[in-house]
Amino acid sequence: MDFIDFNYVLTSVFTAIFGVFGIYHLASFLVLRHKILFYYFILILGLTLHWGLYLILKGSFGDEVLVIAEKASLTTAMITTFGLLMFTKNYLNIRKSNHPNLSKTYIIFKMIVVCLPIVHVLNALIIGEGWFNNILVMLAAITAMVSIFLNIFSGFRLYNVEKFNRYYLFSYAPLLLAAILYIGTWFMQRYFDINVNPIVLITSILVTLQLILFSILVGFKFKSIEEENIKTQVEINKMLTKEVDKQTKNLQLAKKSLETQNGELETVNKLKNKLFSLLTHDVRGPLNNITVLVEMIEAHLTDDDLKRITKKLKNEIHDRVSMVNALLEWSYKQLEGIKLNKKLCDIEEAFNSIRNEFERVAKEKEVSLIFDIFHPELCIDENMLKVILQNLTSNAIKFSSKGQQVILSSQREFGKIEISVQDFGMGMNTDWYSKLDDDLMPQIREGTNGEKGTGFGLLITKDFVEMNGGEMICESENNKGTKFILRFNPSGEV
């Protein structure tokens, strides 16, 4: 060019202004992540590209570049129209749930706006029909103009729905006027030779004014959204405060009620402890004394019938003492609680203690106590181990017949330490524990000599084994005997 084209310079300036607007709102979208900013950026991008084509058309470029620029004008116009449609739809809060008919209309227009550039490009690359190209260009111009009127109609329709809708309608005048001038001039230029430079200048000014107004609207919209969010948050905080106060009061009442119940339970437990203390001193003691007296009387008797009676009486007393002991051990666990005092215990020493305790009873029934010790020690509470072995050995002797054996053994299997007590007597139901009802007492069974078995011993044994991190397994078959297997971790971990 031999001289500077003033309109060319103005168009360059306005294109640069549009580009600055676009970059600003793209950056705003990347920070705020709100869709309205993204759609506004698309609108400005389309305008920038469309105005940029004017620079190519008026510049000193080759014919091929000019043809491409002319072809691209439809696409840039549709990008602008798409951005305007989505911006308006989002700004006026048009959704399928609140405005179904308007929402469907916008969907149809979006589809047309998206499809027109695609068909236009395919026609240029494949078919190349000039008349079809003209139809597409005409249809694009009509679509752009109708889209503007659709946005105006939506503004009127939703004028009173939200406060900011009316501002949108008031601010739309520059764009409407610019669109009418631009599209009208475009139509006239196709049939008449007119100077479009003044129209382009006026349109550029109007579009710039429109972008400024839209930017102000977006700012007010975000301010309104922020105020609404703050208001909503304040309301939520009030509701949460009320709910917290309510729950706090409920917790205070529950705490008070729990403290009252704990006080009542403590009183009841004290009474229970006194009761079992009476059992200890006033029942178990005299029963043991009676046993001693019966043994003294038995030693001076010569009549076999009387000896059988005293023997039966002694067994009955022994059973009752065993039952009282079991009850006391059970009550101690349930009411007072037991603190584990684990240490490395000598299994052979524990077995010998059992032999000494049950030697007389086993001898009377002619039951042999056999020890098979393949693992010598176990980390466990020593007192609990004694109670466990006492209960299992007592039951084994009780349900064994004359001449049978009771075997106590220890071994290490599969990384576990196993202690077992086995007899070859009556046998039992292996799922005895799972069938217990919390409200019922264990069933009483009679031993081979009529001894009474209350079942309390097995309950205590199972609980003591589990408290030490072990597992109790019962294997039994009627008239072939019973074997209790106790499995523990070598380290004694629970």
Side-chain angles (χ1 to χ4, degrees):
M1 291 188 297
D2 297 328
F3 59 93
I4 298 175
D5 187 339
F6 182 68
N7 290 315
Y8 186 87
V9 173
L10 284 178
T11 305
S12 301
V13 171
F14 282 112
T15 303
I17 292 173
F18 298 160
V20 171
F21 267 98
I23 294 172
Y24 171 77
H25 286 93
L26 176 61
S28 299
F29 166 73
L30 294 175
V31 173
L32 300 175
R33 296 291 179 179
H34 202 287
K35 289 181 179 180
I36 193 171
L37 291 172
F38 180 68
Y39 296 140
Y40 194 30
F41 162 72
I42 294 175
L43 167 62
I44 300 173
L45 175 65
L47 287 171
T48 305
L49 294 174
H50 200 70
W51 252 250
L53 292 177
Y54 181 82
L55 300 178
I56 297 175
L57 293 173
K58 295 299 180 181
S60 56
F61 298 95
D63 293 337
E64 292 183 0
V65 176
L66 295 177
V67 171
I68 294 173
E70 288 180 352
K71 298 287 186 186
S73 63
L74 183 144
T75 300
T76 56
M78 290 300 96
I79 292 174
T80 305
T81 305
F82 179 82
L84 182 61
L85 285 169
M86 295 304 296
F87 173 78
T88 304
K89 184 175 181 290
N90 192 269
Y91 186 90
L92 297 178
N93 196 24
I94 298 173
R95 299 192 306 272
K96 186 178 179 180
S97 58
N98 55 3
H99 305 292
N101 293 329
L102 269 179
S103 179
K104 289 179 182 178
T105 305
Y106 273 89
I107 291 173
I108 293 171
F109 270 81
K110 282 190 295 180
M111 292 175 63
I112 294 172
V113 168
V114 171
C115 290
L116 276 174
I118 297 174
V119 176
H120 183 253
V121 172
L122 291 175
N123 176 63
L125 296 176
I126 301 173
I127 302 174
E129 291 289 344
W131 64 269
F132 188 56
N133 179 76
N134 292 334
I135 291 175
L136 292 174
V137 171
M138 188 69 66
L139 185 57
I142 294 172
T143 302
M145 196 66 199
V146 175
S147 296
I148 291 175
F149 285 109
L150 172 63
N151 292 335
I152 294 173
F153 171 77
S154 300
F156 277 111
R157 178 75 181 276
L158 307 176
Y159 185 81
N160 292 319
V161 175
E162 292 185 19
K163 178 177 65 174
F164 283 93
N165 289 4
R166 63 192 70 178
Y167 301 146
Y168 176 83
L169 191 60
F170 294 152
S171 70
Y172 214 78
L175 183 61
L176 176 61
L177 183 57
I180 293 173
L181 285 173
Y182 189 85
I183 297 174
T185 304
W186 178 80
F187 274 111
M188 291 176 63
Q189 189 183 20
R190 296 176 66 88
Y191 304 102
F192 304 98
D193 185 14
I194 61 174
N195 183 13
V196 299
N197 289 331
I199 302 300
V200 172
L201 175 60
I202 295 171
T203 304
S204 299
I205 295 172
L206 290 172
V207 170
T208 304
L209 177 60
Q210 185 65 69
L211 292 180
I212 294 172
L213 291 174
F214 274 173
S215 297
I216 294 172
L217 281 180
V218 170
F220 278 115
K221 182 80 171 179
F222 270 106
K223 184 178 180 181
S224 174
I225 292 172
E226 184 179 356
E227 290 174 353
E228 288 295 326
N229 288 340
I230 292 174
K231 184 178 178 181
T232 302
Q233 190 62 48
V234 170
E235 292 296 326
I236 292 173
N237 289 340
K238 288 181 180 178
M239 292 176 60
L240 287 174
T241 301
K242 289 181 180 179
E243 186 64 25
V244 168
D245 290 341
K246 180 181 177 182
Q247 294 300 329
T248 302
K249 290 179 181 179
N250 291 337
L251 287 173
Q252 289 174 346
L253 291 174
K255 180 183 177 182
K256 187 176 180 181
S257 175
L258 187 61
E259 289 174 349
T260 302
Q261 292 178 7
N262 286 339
E264 294 174 353
L265 286 174
E266 187 176 351
T267 302
V268 171
N269 282 337
K270 287 180 179 178
L271 291 174
K272 287 181 178 180
N273 289 338
K274 288 182 178 179
L275 172 63
F276 283 103
S277 178
L278 289 174
L279 282 173
T280 301
H281 297 95
D282 298 346
V283 176
R284 184 170 60 179
L287 284 175
N288 285 327
N289 293 336
I290 292 173
T291 301
V292 174
L293 290 174
V294 171
E295 288 177 348
M296 291 175 62
I297 293 172
E298 185 182 27
H300 293 83
L301 289 176
T302 57
D303 190 305
D304 291 339
D305 291 336
L306 289 175
K307 281 189 175 183
R308 282 194 295 272
I309 293 172
T310 55
K311 184 179 180 180
K312 186 176 181 181
L313 177 62
K314 186 172 63 176
N315 288 337
E316 288 286 342
I317 296 172
H318 182 269
D319 290 339
R320 296 300 176 268
V321 171
S322 297
M323 183 180 70
V324 170
N325 288 334
L327 283 171
L328 289 172
E329 290 167 356
W330 178 258
S331 66
Y332 175 61
K333 175 184 179 299
Q334 296 295 320
L335 300 178
E336 296 291 343
I338 296 179
K339 292 182 180 179
L340 294 178
N341 182 23
K342 290 181 135 185
K343 64 180 182 179
L344 204 60
C345 298
D346 188 312
I347 294 177
E348 184 176 4
E349 183 180 327
F351 282 4
N352 287 329
S353 174
I354 293 299
R355 186 196 297 277
N356 295 333
E357 183 174 349
F358 290 95
E359 186 175 14
R360 182 183 61 80
V361 177
K363 187 176 181 180
E364 288 178 356
K365 293 194 72 171
E366 298 183 21
V367 172
S368 303
L369 293 177
I370 307 297
F371 297 161
D372 289 332
I373 302 173
F374 298 103
H375 189 82
E377 52 192 15
L378 173 65
C379 186
I380 192 173
D381 185 293
E382 187 175 13
N383 291 328
M384 287 189 180
L385 177 60
K386 289 181 179 179
V387 172
I388 291 168
L389 294 176
Q390 286 170 355
N391 288 331
L392 293 181
T393 305
S394 174
N395 283 345
I397 295 172
K398 189 178 298 181
F399 298 108
S400 294
S401 299
K402 182 178 179 181
Q404 291 183 332
Q405 294 179 337
V406 172
I407 302 174
L408 280 71
S409 65
S410 68
Q411 62 182 350
R412 183 161 184 156
E413 288 284 342
F414 306 110
K416 300 277 189 177
I417 297 175
E418 292 186 355
I419 293 179
S420 64
V421 178
Q422 182 178 10
D423 67 69
F424 303 90
M426 297 169 59
M428 64 178 294
N429 187 358
T430 55
D431 60 348
W432 60 274
Y433 190 82
S434 61
K435 289 187 174 181
L436 279 178
D437 190 291
D438 292 339
D439 297 329
L440 298 177
M441 301 287 283
Q443 293 184 354
I444 295 176
R445 298 178 66 213
E446 288 190 358
T448 53
N449 278 358
E451 306 99 321
K452 296 292 189 301
T454 63
F456 278 109
L458 287 180
L459 288 175
I460 297 167
T461 299
K462 186 175 187 299
D463 285 345
F464 280 9
V465 169
E466 291 176 353
M467 287 177 68
N468 283 273
E471 175 188 15
M472 186 169 81
I473 301 168
C474 177
E475 298 176 353
S476 183
E477 191 174 347
N478 285 335
N479 299 318
K480 291 187 178 181
T482 301
K483 183 177 182 180
F484 281 96
I485 302 171
L486 316 177
R487 287 179 182 160
F488 299 92
N489 293 318
S491 61
E493 293 179 357
V494 177

